Amino acid sequence: MIPQVFLKPQRAQPFFGRHPWVFAGAVDRVEGSPADGAEIELRSSAGNFIARGLFNSLSKILVRLYSWQPDRPLDEDFFRERLQSALHLRHNILKLDQPDAAYRIAFSESDFLSGLIVDRFGDWLTIQCTSLGMGVRRGMLARILSECLPVKGIYLRTEKGIGKLEGAELADGLLWGESPPAEIVVRENGLQFAVNLAEGQKTGFYIDQRDNRAATAALAPGRRVLDAFSYSGGFGLSCARAGAASVECIDSSTGALELAARNADLNDLKGLTFTKSDVFNALSDKVQQGAQYDLIVLDPPKFARNRKAVPDALRGYHRLHQLALKLLANDGVLVSCCCTGLITMEQLEDVILLTAQDAKRDLQILERRGPSADHPTAITCRESNYLKCVISRVG
């Protein structure tokens, strides 16, 4: 008999409503002895069936839910159907299946596959397992994907801290097929980008910013552009190609800037400069030098991984915006990105508001944006809507 997890009284409604995360505090008892990563049934305090999920005693999320059908086990056929549904969205609806394209195939809770991220980079896939349940099924998931897509290889990437959060002992490495070359070239909005799947940040490239880079580039012609936290130059190169007067990319990583310069060469783009520095220090120095820009992109990494870190993260965003407003010329464009899921769009806008008030500058929000459409949000788990992008005009 499949092990059963019973909820405390009056705790079942979110899960009948198909929220996928069952935290340990909502659970009354476990009947049976499920191994970590094993399938269980979730039941209300009255014993009514709610859903099937995967158990993990090592995580604060004790159960992740996948199927609300009592007769639908979480077997290989189930995961094949879910992955095929995710592919249908990207290929048949979004039309992203193009040669040398880079796009997200599966986005965890947003594709009803909690704990699994799959990205495609031309002929290779990367898999990232952010839950132990998906981690122990990584071989099966790679096999399903290899059957669904004509790819050469599938590579596992691990997220920092996942071992502590989930008790999952995973290491980067090849899961199926051929190892990826040191450099894979993909195309985005007419630009070529070199991607290193084994060593690049996240799963190799920030696919989620595809549409935000295009929207920013549309405002770049003739402007002096500063791309802060530039990584491999996604925003900066997009602006240069659109006709920016100048583009400076700043990042603290030598490897990232070397990749950005390589990408500039791939696209025969001239006139970009690449500065290795802590971004806060670099912007402070530029304020002291009296530098001015017409368009500034702030795209920092995640500043908070838990709620205790949110106040410090908000102070970091505030400091960045203080410096940016001092560097923006009149009629400048500010692109404010935040990938910290624990910070809401309202909180980001509050940071922008307070900074503009302190600087005594008029600021108009032109666009509120999120990630590209291959990073959808499941309405039953809006926590998956992590990326915020605010494009403003500063007077």
Side-chain angles (χ1 to χ4, degrees):
M1 181 178 177
I2 186 171
Q4 298 181 332
V5 174
F6 288 82
L7 295 168
K8 294 176 180 177
Q10 300 182 337
R11 302 299 290 271
Q13 189 57 44
F15 312 113
F16 279 120
R18 301 200 171 199
H19 196 286
W21 300 337
V22 183
F23 287 90
V27 172
D28 177 61
R29 68 187 188 278
V30 179
E31 293 188 358
S33 302
D36 292 323
E39 182 178 349
I40 60 88
E41 285 185 354
L42 183 71
R43 293 186 174 270
S44 69
S45 60
N48 296 315
F49 174 84
I50 299 174
R52 286 178 178 251
L54 300 180
F55 182 82
N56 186 5
S57 67
L58 304 172
S59 173
K60 291 180 180 179
I61 303 177
L62 192 68
V63 180
R64 293 173 185 260
L65 302 177
Y66 300 89
S67 172
W68 279 259
Q69 298 172 270
D71 58 349
R72 190 69 195 273
L74 305 182
D75 56 14
E76 185 166 337
D77 285 342
F78 173 85
F79 287 106
R80 179 177 286 104
E81 183 178 300
R82 282 287 165 88
L83 285 167
Q84 287 173 338
S85 176
L87 282 166
H88 177 77
L89 170 63
R90 278 72 180 183
H91 293 179
N92 298 83
I93 299 174
L94 300 178
K95 309 294 185 184
L96 295 173
D97 187 17
Q98 304 297 323
D100 303 326
Y103 56 95
R104 179 146 293 179
I105 285 173
F107 186 32
S108 198
E109 291 78 18
S110 294
D111 283 296
F112 316 104
L113 287 164
S114 181
L116 177 68
I117 292 171
V118 183
D119 288 337
R120 184 174 188 176
F121 299 93
D123 292 327
W124 275 267
L125 303 181
T126 59
I127 287 181
Q128 191 175 67
C129 298
T130 59
S131 71
L132 183 145
M134 289 300 187
V136 299
R137 289 164 175 80
R138 61 192 182 277
M140 176 192 72
L141 295 166
R143 184 173 66 254
I144 293 170
L145 287 163
S146 71
E147 294 168 357
C148 293
L149 287 163
V151 294
K152 293 181 179 179
I154 302 175
Y155 197 84
L156 180 69
R157 290 295 307 267
T158 54
E159 182 175 331
K160 181 181 179 181
I162 196 64
K164 182 178 180 181
L165 290 173
E166 288 285 311
E169 297 299 325
L170 301 173
D172 290 7
L174 185 67
L175 282 178
W176 177 89
E178 302 175 23
S179 294
E183 182 182 284
I184 296 171
V185 177
V186 298
R187 293 181 182 275
E188 176 189 286
N189 299 325
L191 285 167
Q192 297 182 83
F193 289 96
V195 178
N196 186 321
L197 297 193
E199 298 180 6
Q201 295 175 19
K202 290 185 74 174
T203 58
F205 186 59
Y206 289 93
I207 305 169
D208 51 1
Q209 292 280 28
R210 180 194 310 113
D211 296 342
N212 296 331
R213 288 191 278 261
T216 300
L219 299 171
R223 293 182 180 271
R224 298 164 294 175
V225 175
L226 177 63
D227 182 6
F229 305 97
S230 62
Y231 183 45
S232 58
F235 277 100
L237 268 69
S238 299
C239 291
R241 183 175 180 270
S246 64
V247 176
E248 182 174 358
C249 298
I250 303 177
D251 201 279
S252 61
S253 166
T254 299
L257 292 173
E258 289 174 348
L259 191 54
R262 165 68 176 142
N263 289 333
D265 290 340
L266 276 174
N267 294 279
D268 196 27
L269 294 172
K270 309 299 182 184
L272 291 90
T273 59
F274 304 95
T275 302
K276 181 184 181 301
S277 175
D278 173 86
V279 172
F280 287 91
N281 292 339
L283 298 188
S284 296
D285 291 343
K286 289 182 179 299
V287 169
Q288 295 296 318
Q289 296 161 8
Q292 290 279 275
Y293 298 89
D294 306 302
L295 191 158
I296 295 178
V297 178
L298 301 176
D299 186 22
K302 185 185 292 186
F303 278 175
R305 295 188 176 274
N306 55 62
R307 294 198 179 278
K308 290 182 180 179
V310 167
D312 282 343
L314 289 171
R315 282 189 284 271
Y317 286 114
H318 184 257
R319 179 58 177 155
L320 277 178
H321 283 79
Q322 279 183 321
L323 294 166
L325 288 187
K326 290 177 181 178
L327 292 168
L328 267 174
N330 189 43
D331 206 28
V333 173
L334 177 63
V335 180
S336 307
C337 301
C338 172
C339 65
T340 303
L342 294 168
I343 291 175
T344 66
M345 178 68 86
E346 184 178 11
Q347 287 174 305
L348 177 61
E349 289 188 15
D350 285 344
V351 166
I352 297 170
L353 166 66
L354 292 173
T355 311
Q357 288 175 333
D358 289 345
K360 296 181 171 56
R361 299 196 70 174
D362 295 326
L363 187 145
Q364 299 164 295
I365 293 177
L366 306 180
E367 290 191 72
R368 295 176 176 89
R369 305 180 60 87
S372 49
D374 49 337
H375 296 64
T377 300
I379 196 64
T380 52
C381 186
R382 281 174 280 180
E383 295 92 333
S384 57
N385 186 20
Y386 68 104
L387 180 64
K388 284 75 60 178
C389 177
V390 178
I391 301 178
S392 307
R393 173 183 178 244
V394 179

PDB file of all heavy atoms in Angstrom, residues 46 329 366 384:
ATOM      1  N   ALA A  46      -9.682  14.265   7.586  1.00  0.00           N
ATOM      2  CA  ALA A  46     -10.815  13.329   7.572  1.00  0.00           C
ATOM      3  C   ALA A  46     -10.519  12.087   6.743  1.00  0.00           C
ATOM      4  O   ALA A  46     -11.362  11.178   6.670  1.00  0.00           O
ATOM      5  CB  ALA A  46     -12.061  14.026   7.035  1.00  0.00           C
ATOM      6  N   ALA A 329      21.515  60.709 -17.219  1.00  0.00           N
ATOM      7  CA  ALA A 329      21.276  62.054 -17.742  1.00  0.00           C
ATOM      8  C   ALA A 329      19.776  62.328 -17.797  1.00  0.00           C
ATOM      9  O   ALA A 329      18.952  61.414 -17.667  1.00  0.00           O
ATOM     10  CB  ALA A 329      21.889  62.184 -19.142  1.00  0.00           C
ATOM     11  N   LEU A 366       7.398  53.138 -17.710  1.00  0.00           N
ATOM     12  CA  LEU A 366       6.935  52.900 -19.074  1.00  0.00           C
ATOM     13  C   LEU A 366       6.384  51.486 -19.257  1.00  0.00           C
ATOM     14  O   LEU A 366       5.408  51.275 -19.973  1.00  0.00           O
ATOM     15  CB  LEU A 366       8.082  53.126 -20.069  1.00  0.00           C
ATOM     16  CG  LEU A 366       8.790  54.481 -19.993  1.00  0.00           C
ATOM     17  CD1 LEU A 366       9.901  54.544 -21.030  1.00  0.00           C
ATOM     18  CD2 LEU A 366       7.803  55.634 -20.183  1.00  0.00           C
ATOM     19  N   SER A 384       5.989  31.185  -8.434  1.00  0.00           N
ATOM     20  CA  SER A 384       6.900  30.910  -9.545  1.00  0.00           C
ATOM     21  C   SER A 384       7.139  32.138 -10.420  1.00  0.00           C
ATOM     22  O   SER A 384       8.010  32.119 -11.291  1.00  0.00           O
ATOM     23  CB  SER A 384       6.353  29.754 -10.397  1.00  0.00           C
ATOM     24  OG  SER A 384       5.051  30.042 -10.867  1.00  0.00           O
TER      25      SER A 384
END
